[in-house]
Amino acid sequence: MAREQHPEEMHGGVLSGGGSPGLWGALIGLIIFVFIAVPASAAIKYATHPATQQLFGGRLSDATTGGYVAFWWIVAIMLIALPFLVGFAVARMSARTVIIVAAVVILFVIAVIILGQLFVF
């Protein structure tokens, strides 16, 4: 009787046979960070200088200073957390991890939209 051969299962994430999943996650996170560096620094600048509220005119200039600063800090935190979340998801690359990371990103987006509605409109 011939022995059945089973294909090898991949363990540990992306390209586990050709490299460390942690290093791939770090590389992808670094690439994402390069893309969001300018928007993140702009969000921090807006959060730390409430006088920039007048630059946006309209309803945003009528919002409270605390709401304006809180909105931009949440946006900045979300942008800074994004490379870590993407790198972690790539390193783990299981369905459960991707779902958890997607849920966290969706919750951040919902929080920004709610705060934007509360303080801007």
Side-chain angles (χ1 to χ4, degrees):
M1 186 182 272
R3 298 180 79 188
E4 287 186 35
Q5 292 185 357
H6 298 285
E8 289 185 28
E9 293 181 29
M10 293 187 72
H11 297 286
V14 177
L15 300 175
S16 62
S20 170
L23 291 177
W24 281 106
L27 177 65
I28 298 298
L30 181 64
I31 291 170
I32 298 295
F33 181 75
V34 167
F35 284 118
I36 61 108
V38 172
S41 67
I44 291 171
K45 179 176 64 173
Y46 295 145
T48 57
H49 296 92
T52 58
Q53 184 174 1
Q54 302 305 320
L55 294 174
F56 291 96
R59 299 186 121 184
L60 190 56
S61 65
D62 296 335
T64 63
T65 304
Y68 177 80
V69 170
F71 175 76
W72 283 112
W73 272 119
I74 289 175
V75 170
I77 290 168
M78 180 183 72
L79 287 172
I80 292 170
L82 189 62
F84 295 104
L85 289 171
V86 170
F88 180 75
V90 167
R92 297 296 173 149
M93 204 56 163
S94 68
R96 182 177 179 211
T97 304
V98 172
I99 290 170
I100 291 171
V101 169
V104 169
V105 169
I106 289 170
L107 288 175
F108 274 133
V109 170
I110 290 171
V112 167
I113 290 172
I114 290 172
L115 281 175
Q117 292 295 322
L118 287 175
F119 297 114
V120 177
F121 299 111

